[in-house]
Amino acid sequence: MSFWRVLLAILFPPLSVIGKGCGSVLIVLLLTFCGWVPGVIAALIILNNPN
């Protein structure tokens, strides 16, 4: 997990998980629409997953 990905996850969560697949982007996008904090948390969890 690079510094730039973490910074991008904090600023705009859906863009940071774009390389993890369409499903991850959609989940993070929906959570970001519900509230910024859930989107950031989901993006950081997805980025921290080694798979």
Side-chain angles (χ1 to χ4, degrees):
M1 193 164 52
S2 72
F3 170 75
W4 297 111
R5 287 276 180 158
V6 172
L7 186 63
L8 195 58
I10 292 170
L11 296 177
F12 190 66
L15 193 58
S16 68
V17 295
I18 200 101
K20 297 289 185 172
C22 183
S24 297
V25 174
L26 289 176
I27 290 170
V28 173
L29 186 65
L30 288 173
L31 286 171
T32 303
F33 284 149
C34 292
W36 178 73
V37 174
V40 170
I41 292 171
L44 289 174
I45 289 172
I46 290 171
L47 287 175
N48 199 27
N49 190 4
N51 295 335

